Amino acid sequence: MIELEFLGPIQKPKLKLEISTLKELKEFLQKDEELKDWLELCAISINEKIITDINTPLKHGDKIALLPPVSGG
């Protein structure tokens, strides 16, 4: 089981899911109309490391975060 956290302005509670790859996670999240636009903008981290390969396998206990773009000065 993995834990998914939504950061910044994405107002969603944490989820615990049985997901085996980031690709599978993306397919699951695209079913939520509120998240569809965010998915194209967000970076993804696994255990606090930014990941770019959608085929990255996930293992029990991984902590995934959706990181929306931020601006600041």
Side-chain angles (χ1 to χ4, degrees), residues 52-65:
T52 58
D53 183 0
I54 192 91
N55 295 308
T56 300
L58 302 174
K59 61 186 180 308
H60 179 75
D62 280 344
K63 295 191 184 303
I64 315 306

Side-chain angles (χ1 to χ4, degrees), residues 2-58:
I2 60 108
E3 184 176 299
L4 175 63
E5 182 176 13
F6 303 94
L7 301 179
I10 305 173
Q11 301 296 309
K12 296 279 187 183
K14 288 183 184 178
L15 297 175
K16 292 188 178 195
L17 303 165
E18 292 289 340
I19 300 284
S20 59
T21 66
L22 286 181
K23 183 177 180 181
E24 189 179 339
L25 178 61
K26 183 177 180 180
E27 290 168 358
F28 172 81
L29 293 175
Q30 284 180 328
K31 295 175 186 174
D32 184 329
E33 289 297 322
E34 293 178 32
L35 288 176
K36 278 182 142 179
D37 292 335
W38 284 115
L39 293 176
E40 300 304 318
L41 301 172
C42 288
I44 298 172
S45 72
I46 300 175
N47 303 322
E48 299 183 10
K49 181 180 176 190
I50 299 293
I51 303 297
T52 58
D53 183 0
I54 192 91
N55 295 308
T56 300
L58 302 174

Side-chain angles (χ1 to χ4, degrees), residues 69-73:
V70 295
S71 62

